[in-house]
Amino acid sequence: MTSPAWPYITPGIPDELFERVEGIPMTKEEVRALVISKLRLREDSRVLDIGSGTGSVTVEAALIARRGLVYAIDRDERAVELTRRNAMRFGVGDRVIVIHGEAPEALDKVPNEVDAAFIGGSGGRLRDIIAGTCSKLAVGGHLVIDAITLENVSLTLTTMAELGFVNVEVTEVVIAKGFKTSLGTVMLSRNPIFIIVGERGRCRPMHLMASIKDAIKRW
């Protein structure tokens, strides 16, 4: 499904086509294309975008899930409005529901089970957000998380293992973009990004996992 602003069926909309607001983060186009591919979307998918920021992932997901629905959550009211405007800009506003709130509590406003979820921002509550997202994700659905720090990669992998996610994989992405100078074109590297993907198994409650760990320690 295309839109007048993006008349193609491929992901990776150029960053400059989105409306931007200073201080509101955005998943960049090359990383976004990989994220969308890892979500494994169908035309009727229901998708969850946590920490929607500019709304770039929300828009790309909605373009693919043209008979589905995308729930976009952000705690920053400016990001909520920006996501809404970009959804309208690309003609997908009718299948995007934007929620102002902080995850994981804001997940209570998502009324249905989703087929895929992306966590692009966690506000220091990554473990709780992964657990909350697991409870909303259909069995077999894909959870995709991008991370910058090794600590968050480690926390994500540990939490996914505790919750029973399967087929977990980690990809490190290093993007370099050409920049013209008086001497020619040089490549400027961006910060490495880690993309973690897992399929939801039968999620184990976090309190149960904590109890098991405590029991093992006592034993």
Side-chain angles (χ1 to χ4, degrees), residues 35-36 39 41 45-52 57-59 61-62 65 68-74 95-99 101 103-104 106-121 129-138 142-145:
V35 165
I36 291 296
L39 285 171
L41 302 180
S45 289
R46 295 182 300 271
V47 187
L48 181 58
D49 180 9
I50 300 173
S52 61
V57 171
T58 291
V59 166
L69 197 61
V70 181
Y71 298 96
I73 297 175
D74 205 289
R95 50 188 180 273
V96 170
I97 296 176
V98 188
I99 299 170
L107 292 169
D108 291 338
K109 299 179 182 179
V110 178
N112 302 309
E113 191 175 64
V114 298
D115 304 296
F118 172 62
I119 301 175
I129 292 173
I130 295 173
T133 302
C134 186
S135 67
K136 287 291 182 180
L137 192 60
H142 286 75
L143 172 60
V144 180
I145 299 169

Side-chain angles (χ1 to χ4, degrees), residues 30-31 34 173-177 187-193:
E30 293 86 4
V31 173
L34 287 172
V173 181
V174 181
I175 303 295
K177 302 281 285 187
M187 302 302 293
L188 296 180
S189 294
R190 294 174 174 170
N191 290 333
I193 300 290

Side-chain angles (χ1 to χ4, degrees), residues 1-127:
M1 182 66 176
T2 62
S3 78
W6 183 244
Y8 308 101
I9 61 172
T10 51
I13 299 172
D15 296 339
E16 60 269 19
L17 295 186
F18 289 93
E19 181 182 343
R20 303 289 303 276
V21 170
E22 186 175 355
I24 303 298
M26 180 175 73
T27 302
K28 299 299 192 297
E29 60 188 274
E30 293 86 4
V31 173
R32 191 186 328 122
L34 287 172
V35 165
I36 291 296
S37 73
K38 298 294 186 180
L39 285 171
R40 302 293 191 257
L41 302 180
R42 302 182 302 269
E43 287 188 349
D44 61 348
S45 289
R46 295 182 300 271
V47 187
L48 181 58
D49 180 9
I50 300 173
S52 61
T54 303
S56 61
V57 171
T58 291
V59 166
E60 298 247 30
L63 284 171
I64 294 174
R66 61 188 182 88
R67 293 189 291 108
L69 197 61
V70 181
Y71 298 96
I73 297 175
D74 205 289
R75 63 180 180 176
D76 189 328
E77 191 170 356
R78 297 178 305 154
V80 167
E81 291 304 316
L82 186 57
T83 294
R84 186 175 288 115
R85 290 199 301 271
N86 274 317
M88 296 299 294
R89 182 186 185 95
F90 285 89
V92 296
D94 60 330
R95 50 188 180 273
V96 170
I97 296 176
V98 188
I99 299 170
H100 181 213
E102 185 165 359
E105 291 80 11
L107 292 169
D108 291 338
K109 299 179 182 179
V110 178
N112 302 309
E113 191 175 64
V114 298
D115 304 296
F118 172 62
I119 301 175
S122 63
R125 305 182 67 188
L126 183 56
R127 181 178 173 84

Side-chain angles (χ1 to χ4, degrees), residues 114-188:
V114 298
D115 304 296
F118 172 62
I119 301 175
S122 63
R125 305 182 67 188
L126 183 56
R127 181 178 173 84
D128 292 337
I129 292 173
I130 295 173
T133 302
C134 186
S135 67
K136 287 291 182 180
L137 192 60
V139 174
H142 286 75
L143 172 60
V144 180
I145 299 169
D146 68 4
I148 297 175
T149 68
L150 294 173
E151 288 80 5
N152 275 348
V153 174
S154 176
L155 179 59
T156 296
L157 293 175
T158 299
T159 305
M160 280 185 160
E162 291 176 352
L163 289 169
F165 277 85
V166 298
N167 299 324
V168 176
E169 62 178 51
V170 183
T171 303
E172 182 182 9
V173 181
V174 181
I175 303 295
K177 302 281 285 187
F179 180 75
K180 288 190 176 297
T181 71
S182 59
L183 299 177
T185 302
V186 298
M187 302 302 293
L188 296 180

